[in-house]
Amino acid sequence: MSSTGDAVTAIDNTVEHRFEATVEGYKAQLVYRHDGERLVLVHTGVPDELGGRGIGGQLVEAAVEAAVAGDLSVVPECPFARSWLRKHPKVAGRVKIDWKE
């Protein structure tokens, strides 16, 4: 998945409304909410200890996969998710994106 590091397993914690990945005891997350037929990406948080490994991007990619599976559009309110999707058009092209600009 990531060219800067190993792929991590991102899980969809539907109770907490976030995609999560735990690496070396640290938890990275992408918080989301559902708004009708839209998956709104709210905030990406990656601990400094995990920075630069592509984990945030893998969380965004997991969200895109979930949106595709659920026939949802994605609304990237999170600045990181928005930037990542713009830099990865192959992934972004898999789903309808509402850029809300």
Side-chain angles (χ1 to χ4, degrees):
M1 270 190 190
S2 169
S3 61
T4 59
D6 295 330
V8 298
T9 301
I11 62 163
D12 185 358
N13 180 337
T14 58
V15 173
E16 299 290 330
H17 304 284
R18 63 187 182 204
F19 291 92
E20 303 174 340
T22 302
V23 178
E24 299 172 6
Y26 298 100
K27 187 175 288 185
Q29 64 182 356
L30 170 56
V31 178
Y32 66 84
R33 72 174 184 276
H34 286 279
D35 181 10
E37 298 297 313
R38 302 175 336 144
L39 182 63
V40 182
L41 308 182
V42 178
H43 173 72
T44 305
V46 177
D48 290 341
E49 293 83 358
L50 301 179
R53 298 188 194 184
I55 294 170
Q58 291 179 58
L59 292 171
V60 175
E61 192 165 358
V64 167
E65 295 297 326
V68 169
D71 197 26
L72 303 171
S73 61
V74 170
V75 182
E77 287 183 356
C78 166
F80 173 83
R82 176 182 296 272
S83 174
W84 192 91
L85 287 165
R86 288 198 188 281
K87 292 175 185 173
H88 296 85
K90 281 188 172 182
V91 176
R94 298 194 63 231
V95 68
K96 181 180 179 213
I97 298 179
D98 181 353
W99 294 103
K100 302 285 281 179
E101 301 202 61

